[in-house]
Amino acid sequence: MARPDPDPDYPAIRDIGLTGLLVSVAGALSEPANRAALAFRAAVEAAGWDGVAETSTSLVSAFIGYEPLSLDRDDLAARLEGLLRDRDWCAAALPEGRRHWRIPVVLGGQETGPQFEEAAEAAGLSAAAARDSIAASRTRVLTIGFAPGQPYMGELDQAWDIPRMKTLNPRVPEGALVVAIRQLIVFSRTAPTGWRHIGQTAFRAFRPEADEPFAFRPGDEVSFRLVEAAELEDFRAADATGDGGDGGAEVEMLE
């Protein structure tokens, strides 16, 4: 397969524990590498190999868990190597069933985005330009991680390649929008983070009571609609009474 970078160590297949293999297509995140990981996992799923127990993706890798009594490790590795050679995964089509989410967000404010201006300054942008940049961005859910249903979304414009903070942000609430390293996260639970809290949504990324607890799937696309704090409270109130849903978010199928 074509590599998204010149690193000769990739693609690579590595053992994860006693019953897993990790197929990594690159050593760093890029759009082609994430595309390759998502498409490769979908192809493994579609192959329906007996003995494959689970699959998942990270930013640039696909994990394949297998039943060793049903599928030999070396046999699986050979199949994966053959599949890697089958096509240019960096140019492959993204998996079917993806959706586009449009999520209302408040950017800035002492309660709703206390580190927005700090993040904008780190990105070399004015507050107005930073708002415009976030509003114009259409990101991909690159992977789910850290907490149940929590999406890593990117990549943002190069200006947003800002580092994590040197000190811990002790608490951001559920629905917080945070930014670092050209990525956004909507927090699925109240938690500490090293990323800057720039905005607030009423969106629930993790719904344990639902048939599908994770709202997002890797490969989904997400954009943000700027609203005022009062409108966000209206979404929360409507959700609490059962008259709303998803914090005012809208969703449509892509493929």
Side-chain angles (χ1 to χ4, degrees), residues 87-140:
R87 72 199 73 166
D88 180 1
W89 291 100
C90 292
L94 289 166
E96 296 180 354
R98 300 184 308 118
R99 293 137 331 150
H100 178 206
W101 297 87
R102 296 179 180 87
I103 301 176
V105 66
V106 178
L107 291 180
Q110 185 173 356
E111 299 296 327
T112 53
Q115 293 165 310
F116 172 74
E117 292 188 0
E118 177 186 328
E121 182 178 359
L125 300 171
S126 67
R131 285 189 171 86
D132 289 345
S133 177
I134 296 298
S137 297
R138 181 158 166 167
T139 61
R140 179 189 302 161

Side-chain angles (χ1 to χ4, degrees), residues 66-79:
Y66 63 95
E67 298 286 351
L69 297 180
S70 303
L71 181 56
D72 177 73
R73 181 263 179 212
D74 292 341
D75 180 24
L76 175 58
R79 295 187 197 184

